[in-house]
Amino acid sequence: MPNEKTEAQKLVLVVEDEKSIADILRFNLELKNYRVSAAYDGEEGLAKAREENPDLILLDIMLPKMIGFDVCEILRKEGNNVPIILLTAREEEDDKVKGLEIGADDYITKPFSMREVVARVEANIRRNAMPQRASAAAADSAMPVSGDLSINTDSHQVFRAGKVISLTQREYELLTFLASHPNKVYSRVDLMEQVWNYGYVGDDVRTVDVTVRRLREKIEADPANPQYILTRRGAGYYFAVN
Ligand code: CA
């Protein structure tokens, strides 16, 4: 059973065409008790993501055959919500925002320290299985949160009007965190610390804005006039309950 995973050993797929970097990532992740699979171009990465069902993907952007953005976008369109961390070669703000907009969870800028990579993997890896499909029972036992939105915290699924919404782990965690503290405003720094589990924040707070925007597109009837996740200008975000 090549796909069988124990609780202790999560599978990380490394998609990186520079073999020396792929090797050092593998070495350091295996030290931390992860299983590691490697792919050396975008097409192989996409195939392995589909076949091996990894718990997290480290995805280089500049890859032969298919760039990392396309791999990420295809997986998300297929409804695959595996946590994806992009490896970006430059401090290009555009690359970071584009990556987050197409559904990546996080990014690491090269050159990176192994400590940073391991910390990001640990912060992003799926702690609970996120089922891809809704069951009628999961919808029935979901807790109403507000309006027609309901959350089943056992199955980690979110429903609007009884219909499951496909969220990434980070989107799910952001929504459940805000919804469990209704009407309380959290700054972007608060959210980076509480939801992303980052001890340091820097300029990464834009990650919060992009994730909120993506979440609104999924849960709000009109993302431009949201009714669930609202902005308190200059202060942060909150989940509105009347
Ligand atoms: Ca590359």
PDB file of all heavy atoms in Angstrom, residues 60-86:
ATOM      1  N   ASP A  60       8.022  24.693  -6.576  1.00  0.00           N
ATOM      2  CA  ASP A  60       8.826  25.727  -7.225  1.00  0.00           C
ATOM      3  C   ASP A  60       7.972  26.382  -8.320  1.00  0.00           C
ATOM      4  O   ASP A  60       7.104  25.739  -8.910  1.00  0.00           O
ATOM      5  CB  ASP A  60      10.076  25.070  -7.828  1.00  0.00           C
ATOM      6  CG  ASP A  60      11.073  26.094  -8.337  1.00  0.00           C
ATOM      7  OD1 ASP A  60      11.087  27.232  -7.836  1.00  0.00           O
ATOM      8  OD2 ASP A  60      11.847  25.739  -9.250  1.00  0.00           O
ATOM      9  N   ILE A  61       8.198  27.662  -8.577  1.00  0.00           N
ATOM     10  CA  ILE A  61       7.427  28.321  -9.640  1.00  0.00           C
ATOM     11  C   ILE A  61       8.064  28.074 -11.004  1.00  0.00           C
ATOM     12  O   ILE A  61       7.399  27.650 -11.949  1.00  0.00           O
ATOM     13  CB  ILE A  61       7.296  29.840  -9.365  1.00  0.00           C
ATOM     14  CG1 ILE A  61       6.406  30.071  -8.132  1.00  0.00           C
ATOM     15  CG2 ILE A  61       6.678  30.537 -10.584  1.00  0.00           C
ATOM     16  CD1 ILE A  61       6.258  31.517  -7.736  1.00  0.00           C
ATOM     17  N   MET A  62       9.368  28.338 -11.126  1.00  0.00           N
ATOM     18  CA  MET A  62      10.026  28.167 -12.424  1.00  0.00           C
ATOM     19  C   MET A  62      10.422  26.705 -12.606  1.00  0.00           C
ATOM     20  O   MET A  62      11.398  26.238 -12.020  1.00  0.00           O
ATOM     21  CB  MET A  62      11.258  29.082 -12.509  1.00  0.00           C
ATOM     22  CG  MET A  62      10.915  30.567 -12.443  1.00  0.00           C
ATOM     23  SD  MET A  62       9.611  31.056 -13.612  1.00  0.00           S
ATOM     24  CE  MET A  62      10.488  30.832 -15.165  1.00  0.00           C
ATOM     25  N   LEU A  63       9.643  25.998 -13.409  1.00  0.00           N
ATOM     26  CA  LEU A  63       9.842  24.562 -13.614  1.00  0.00           C
ATOM     27  C   LEU A  63       9.772  24.245 -15.098  1.00  0.00           C
ATOM     28  O   LEU A  63       9.037  24.905 -15.834  1.00  0.00           O
ATOM     29  CB  LEU A  63       8.723  23.770 -12.926  1.00  0.00           C
ATOM     30  CG  LEU A  63       8.704  23.692 -11.407  1.00  0.00           C
ATOM     31  CD1 LEU A  63       7.355  23.147 -10.938  1.00  0.00           C
ATOM     32  CD2 LEU A  63       9.833  22.824 -10.882  1.00  0.00           C
ATOM     33  N   PRO A  64      10.496  23.220 -15.552  1.00  0.00           N
ATOM     34  CA  PRO A  64      10.332  22.777 -16.942  1.00  0.00           C
ATOM     35  C   PRO A  64       8.944  22.172 -17.162  1.00  0.00           C
ATOM     36  O   PRO A  64       8.317  21.692 -16.215  1.00  0.00           O
ATOM     37  CB  PRO A  64      11.413  21.696 -17.109  1.00  0.00           C
ATOM     38  CG  PRO A  64      12.244  21.731 -15.889  1.00  0.00           C
ATOM     39  CD  PRO A  64      11.476  22.430 -14.817  1.00  0.00           C
ATOM     40  N   LYS A  65       8.501  22.207 -18.382  1.00  0.00           N
ATOM     41  CA  LYS A  65       7.266  21.558 -18.868  1.00  0.00           C
ATOM     42  C   LYS A  65       5.984  22.256 -18.410  1.00  0.00           C
ATOM     43  O   LYS A  65       5.070  22.446 -19.194  1.00  0.00           O
ATOM     44  CB  LYS A  65       7.199  20.074 -18.506  1.00  0.00           C
ATOM     45  CG  LYS A  65       8.294  19.270 -19.193  1.00  0.00           C
ATOM     46  CD  LYS A  65       8.082  17.789 -18.997  1.00  0.00           C
ATOM     47  CE  LYS A  65       9.243  17.001 -19.603  1.00  0.00           C
ATOM     48  NZ  LYS A  65       9.161  15.576 -19.328  1.00  0.00           N
ATOM     49  N   MET A  66       5.885  22.615 -17.140  1.00  0.00           N
ATOM     50  CA  MET A  66       4.696  23.331 -16.665  1.00  0.00           C
ATOM     51  C   MET A  66       5.102  24.134 -15.441  1.00  0.00           C
ATOM     52  O   MET A  66       5.685  23.582 -14.511  1.00  0.00           O
ATOM     53  CB  MET A  66       3.594  22.329 -16.295  1.00  0.00           C
ATOM     54  CG  MET A  66       2.302  22.983 -15.824  1.00  0.00           C
ATOM     55  SD  MET A  66       1.102  21.761 -15.213  1.00  0.00           S
ATOM     56  CE  MET A  66       0.666  20.931 -16.722  1.00  0.00           C
ATOM     57  N   ILE A  67       4.809  25.444 -15.439  1.00  0.00           N
ATOM     58  CA  ILE A  67       5.262  26.247 -14.301  1.00  0.00           C
ATOM     59  C   ILE A  67       4.388  25.952 -13.069  1.00  0.00           C
ATOM     60  O   ILE A  67       3.258  25.464 -13.181  1.00  0.00           O
ATOM     61  CB  ILE A  67       5.261  27.759 -14.610  1.00  0.00           C
ATOM     62  CG1 ILE A  67       3.851  28.286 -14.903  1.00  0.00           C
ATOM     63  CG2 ILE A  67       6.227  28.091 -15.742  1.00  0.00           C
ATOM     64  CD1 ILE A  67       3.783  29.798 -14.920  1.00  0.00           C
ATOM     65  N   GLY A  68       4.958  26.278 -11.912  1.00  0.00           N
ATOM     66  CA  GLY A  68       4.283  25.977 -10.652  1.00  0.00           C
ATOM     67  C   GLY A  68       2.909  26.616 -10.526  1.00  0.00           C
ATOM     68  O   GLY A  68       1.983  26.022  -9.977  1.00  0.00           O
ATOM     69  N   PHE A  69       2.758  27.847 -11.034  1.00  0.00           N
ATOM     70  CA  PHE A  69       1.438  28.502 -10.980  1.00  0.00           C
ATOM     71  C   PHE A  69       0.378  27.627 -11.642  1.00  0.00           C
ATOM     72  O   PHE A  69      -0.735  27.492 -11.134  1.00  0.00           O
ATOM     73  CB  PHE A  69       1.474  29.846 -11.720  1.00  0.00           C
ATOM     74  CG  PHE A  69       2.215  30.945 -10.999  1.00  0.00           C
ATOM     75  CD1 PHE A  69       3.064  31.789 -11.695  1.00  0.00           C
ATOM     76  CD2 PHE A  69       2.049  31.143  -9.636  1.00  0.00           C
ATOM     77  CE1 PHE A  69       3.733  32.810 -11.047  1.00  0.00           C
ATOM     78  CE2 PHE A  69       2.714  32.167  -8.974  1.00  0.00           C
ATOM     79  CZ  PHE A  69       3.568  33.001  -9.682  1.00  0.00           C
ATOM     80  N   ASP A  70       0.732  27.051 -12.802  1.00  0.00           N
ATOM     81  CA  ASP A  70      -0.247  26.238 -13.532  1.00  0.00           C
ATOM     82  C   ASP A  70      -0.574  24.951 -12.780  1.00  0.00           C
ATOM     83  O   ASP A  70      -1.727  24.517 -12.744  1.00  0.00           O
ATOM     84  CB  ASP A  70       0.268  25.908 -14.945  1.00  0.00           C
ATOM     85  CG  ASP A  70       0.299  27.145 -15.835  1.00  0.00           C
ATOM     86  OD1 ASP A  70      -0.270  28.173 -15.421  1.00  0.00           O
ATOM     87  OD2 ASP A  70       0.905  27.086 -16.922  1.00  0.00           O
ATOM     88  N   VAL A  71       0.459  24.349 -12.169  1.00  0.00           N
ATOM     89  CA  VAL A  71       0.222  23.130 -11.383  1.00  0.00           C
ATOM     90  C   VAL A  71      -0.775  23.436 -10.265  1.00  0.00           C
ATOM     91  O   VAL A  71      -1.762  22.718 -10.054  1.00  0.00           O
ATOM     92  CB  VAL A  71       1.549  22.599 -10.787  1.00  0.00           C
ATOM     93  CG1 VAL A  71       1.288  21.404  -9.875  1.00  0.00           C
ATOM     94  CG2 VAL A  71       2.526  22.226 -11.903  1.00  0.00           C
ATOM     95  N   CYS A  72      -0.517  24.546  -9.559  1.00  0.00           N
ATOM     96  CA  CYS A  72      -1.375  24.939  -8.443  1.00  0.00           C
ATOM     97  C   CYS A  72      -2.797  25.205  -8.920  1.00  0.00           C
ATOM     98  O   CYS A  72      -3.776  24.724  -8.331  1.00  0.00           O
ATOM     99  CB  CYS A  72      -0.784  26.188  -7.780  1.00  0.00           C
ATOM    100  SG  CYS A  72      -1.728  26.821  -6.403  1.00  0.00           S
ATOM    101  N   GLU A  73      -2.911  25.961  -9.995  1.00  0.00           N
ATOM    102  CA  GLU A  73      -4.232  26.346 -10.487  1.00  0.00           C
ATOM    103  C   GLU A  73      -5.041  25.122 -10.929  1.00  0.00           C
ATOM    104  O   GLU A  73      -6.240  25.029 -10.650  1.00  0.00           O
ATOM    105  CB  GLU A  73      -4.058  27.327 -11.654  1.00  0.00           C
ATOM    106  CG  GLU A  73      -5.280  28.172 -11.903  1.00  0.00           C
ATOM    107  CD  GLU A  73      -4.965  29.395 -12.764  1.00  0.00           C
ATOM    108  OE1 GLU A  73      -3.897  29.438 -13.418  1.00  0.00           O
ATOM    109  OE2 GLU A  73      -5.819  30.299 -12.778  1.00  0.00           O
ATOM    110  N   ILE A  74      -4.386  24.178 -11.604  1.00  0.00           N
ATOM    111  CA  ILE A  74      -5.086  22.969 -12.066  1.00  0.00           C
ATOM    112  C   ILE A  74      -5.572  22.153 -10.868  1.00  0.00           C
ATOM    113  O   ILE A  74      -6.720  21.706 -10.831  1.00  0.00           O
ATOM    114  CB  ILE A  74      -4.160  22.125 -12.977  1.00  0.00           C
ATOM    115  CG1 ILE A  74      -3.952  22.848 -14.314  1.00  0.00           C
ATOM    116  CG2 ILE A  74      -4.757  20.732 -13.216  1.00  0.00           C
ATOM    117  CD1 ILE A  74      -2.867  22.251 -15.191  1.00  0.00           C
ATOM    118  N   LEU A  75      -4.704  21.988  -9.857  1.00  0.00           N
ATOM    119  CA  LEU A  75      -5.108  21.205  -8.682  1.00  0.00           C
ATOM    120  C   LEU A  75      -6.316  21.840  -7.996  1.00  0.00           C
ATOM    121  O   LEU A  75      -7.257  21.153  -7.604  1.00  0.00           O
ATOM    122  CB  LEU A  75      -3.943  21.078  -7.697  1.00  0.00           C
ATOM    123  CG  LEU A  75      -2.810  20.155  -8.146  1.00  0.00           C
ATOM    124  CD1 LEU A  75      -1.626  20.263  -7.193  1.00  0.00           C
ATOM    125  CD2 LEU A  75      -3.291  18.702  -8.210  1.00  0.00           C
ATOM    126  N   ARG A  76      -6.297  23.171  -7.859  1.00  0.00           N
ATOM    127  CA  ARG A  76      -7.428  23.831  -7.199  1.00  0.00           C
ATOM    128  C   ARG A  76      -8.701  23.698  -8.019  1.00  0.00           C
ATOM    129  O   ARG A  76      -9.782  23.496  -7.474  1.00  0.00           O
ATOM    130  CB  ARG A  76      -7.106  25.306  -6.955  1.00  0.00           C
ATOM    131  CG  ARG A  76      -6.007  25.550  -5.930  1.00  0.00           C
ATOM    132  CD  ARG A  76      -6.345  24.986  -4.549  1.00  0.00           C
ATOM    133  NE  ARG A  76      -5.352  25.352  -3.539  1.00  0.00           N
ATOM    134  CZ  ARG A  76      -4.630  24.488  -2.834  1.00  0.00           C
ATOM    135  NH1 ARG A  76      -4.788  23.182  -3.018  1.00  0.00           N
ATOM    136  NH2 ARG A  76      -3.761  24.900  -1.929  1.00  0.00           N
ATOM    137  N   LYS A  77      -8.564  23.813  -9.357  1.00  0.00           N
ATOM    138  CA  LYS A  77      -9.758  23.656 -10.200  1.00  0.00           C
ATOM    139  C   LYS A  77     -10.331  22.251 -10.109  1.00  0.00           C
ATOM    140  O   LYS A  77     -11.524  22.048 -10.304  1.00  0.00           O
ATOM    141  CB  LYS A  77      -9.428  24.005 -11.654  1.00  0.00           C
ATOM    142  CG  LYS A  77      -9.410  25.510 -11.879  1.00  0.00           C
ATOM    143  CD  LYS A  77      -9.266  25.894 -13.334  1.00  0.00           C
ATOM    144  CE  LYS A  77      -9.275  27.417 -13.468  1.00  0.00           C
ATOM    145  NZ  LYS A  77      -8.449  27.878 -14.598  1.00  0.00           N
ATOM    146  N   GLU A  78      -9.452  21.279  -9.815  1.00  0.00           N
ATOM    147  CA  GLU A  78      -9.919  19.896  -9.656  1.00  0.00           C
ATOM    148  C   GLU A  78     -10.504  19.658  -8.263  1.00  0.00           C
ATOM    149  O   GLU A  78     -10.895  18.542  -7.939  1.00  0.00           O
ATOM    150  CB  GLU A  78      -8.753  18.918  -9.889  1.00  0.00           C
ATOM    151  CG  GLU A  78      -8.300  18.870 -11.342  1.00  0.00           C
ATOM    152  CD  GLU A  78      -7.065  18.010 -11.571  1.00  0.00           C
ATOM    153  OE1 GLU A  78      -6.444  17.545 -10.582  1.00  0.00           O
ATOM    154  OE2 GLU A  78      -6.711  17.819 -12.748  1.00  0.00           O
ATOM    155  N   GLY A  79     -10.500  20.708  -7.428  1.00  0.00           N
ATOM    156  CA  GLY A  79     -11.058  20.564  -6.082  1.00  0.00           C
ATOM    157  C   GLY A  79     -10.070  19.992  -5.085  1.00  0.00           C
ATOM    158  O   GLY A  79     -10.456  19.574  -4.002  1.00  0.00           O
ATOM    159  N   ASN A  80      -8.784  19.958  -5.451  1.00  0.00           N
ATOM    160  CA  ASN A  80      -7.760  19.440  -4.550  1.00  0.00           C
ATOM    161  C   ASN A  80      -7.321  20.573  -3.610  1.00  0.00           C
ATOM    162  O   ASN A  80      -6.795  21.584  -4.056  1.00  0.00           O
ATOM    163  CB  ASN A  80      -6.577  18.931  -5.372  1.00  0.00           C
ATOM    164  CG  ASN A  80      -5.568  18.183  -4.530  1.00  0.00           C
ATOM    165  OD1 ASN A  80      -5.332  18.526  -3.375  1.00  0.00           O
ATOM    166  ND2 ASN A  80      -4.979  17.155  -5.098  1.00  0.00           N
ATOM    167  N   ASN A  81      -7.518  20.392  -2.311  1.00  0.00           N
ATOM    168  CA  ASN A  81      -7.232  21.443  -1.334  1.00  0.00           C
ATOM    169  C   ASN A  81      -5.970  21.189  -0.525  1.00  0.00           C
ATOM    170  O   ASN A  81      -5.793  21.731   0.559  1.00  0.00           O
ATOM    171  CB  ASN A  81      -8.428  21.633  -0.402  1.00  0.00           C
ATOM    172  CG  ASN A  81      -9.571  22.312  -1.113  1.00  0.00           C
ATOM    173  OD1 ASN A  81      -9.374  23.236  -1.889  1.00  0.00           O
ATOM    174  ND2 ASN A  81     -10.784  21.841  -0.878  1.00  0.00           N
ATOM    175  N   VAL A  82      -5.075  20.378  -1.048  1.00  0.00           N
ATOM    176  CA  VAL A  82      -3.810  20.122  -0.354  1.00  0.00           C
ATOM    177  C   VAL A  82      -3.079  21.447  -0.086  1.00  0.00           C
ATOM    178  O   VAL A  82      -3.070  22.333  -0.942  1.00  0.00           O
ATOM    179  CB  VAL A  82      -2.925  19.180  -1.219  1.00  0.00           C
ATOM    180  CG1 VAL A  82      -2.633  19.779  -2.588  1.00  0.00           C
ATOM    181  CG2 VAL A  82      -1.619  18.862  -0.496  1.00  0.00           C
ATOM    182  N   PRO A  83      -2.511  21.616   1.121  1.00  0.00           N
ATOM    183  CA  PRO A  83      -1.720  22.831   1.357  1.00  0.00           C
ATOM    184  C   PRO A  83      -0.545  22.921   0.373  1.00  0.00           C
ATOM    185  O   PRO A  83       0.178  21.938   0.179  1.00  0.00           O
ATOM    186  CB  PRO A  83      -1.208  22.653   2.792  1.00  0.00           C
ATOM    187  CG  PRO A  83      -2.152  21.692   3.421  1.00  0.00           C
ATOM    188  CD  PRO A  83      -2.603  20.782   2.315  1.00  0.00           C
ATOM    189  N   ILE A  84      -0.394  24.096  -0.250  1.00  0.00           N
ATOM    190  CA  ILE A  84       0.680  24.308  -1.223  1.00  0.00           C
ATOM    191  C   ILE A  84       1.519  25.504  -0.790  1.00  0.00           C
ATOM    192  O   ILE A  84       0.980  26.595  -0.557  1.00  0.00           O
ATOM    193  CB  ILE A  84       0.116  24.556  -2.636  1.00  0.00           C
ATOM    194  CG1 ILE A  84      -0.595  23.298  -3.156  1.00  0.00           C
ATOM    195  CG2 ILE A  84       1.241  24.972  -3.610  1.00  0.00           C
ATOM    196  CD1 ILE A  84      -1.281  23.475  -4.504  1.00  0.00           C
ATOM    197  N   ILE A  85       2.837  25.285  -0.660  1.00  0.00           N
ATOM    198  CA  ILE A  85       3.770  26.381  -0.393  1.00  0.00           C
ATOM    199  C   ILE A  85       4.597  26.590  -1.655  1.00  0.00           C
ATOM    200  O   ILE A  85       5.267  25.664  -2.125  1.00  0.00           O
ATOM    201  CB  ILE A  85       4.709  26.062   0.784  1.00  0.00           C
ATOM    202  CG1 ILE A  85       3.908  25.749   2.055  1.00  0.00           C
ATOM    203  CG2 ILE A  85       5.660  27.228   1.027  1.00  0.00           C
ATOM    204  CD1 ILE A  85       4.782  25.332   3.240  1.00  0.00           C
ATOM    205  N   LEU A  86       4.535  27.794  -2.203  1.00  0.00           N
ATOM    206  CA  LEU A  86       5.307  28.103  -3.409  1.00  0.00           C
ATOM    207  C   LEU A  86       6.728  28.499  -3.027  1.00  0.00           C
ATOM    208  O   LEU A  86       6.945  29.183  -2.023  1.00  0.00           O
ATOM    209  CB  LEU A  86       4.659  29.249  -4.177  1.00  0.00           C
ATOM    210  CG  LEU A  86       3.309  28.949  -4.835  1.00  0.00           C
ATOM    211  CD1 LEU A  86       2.734  30.238  -5.409  1.00  0.00           C
ATOM    212  CD2 LEU A  86       3.439  27.896  -5.922  1.00  0.00           C
TER     213      LEU A  86
END
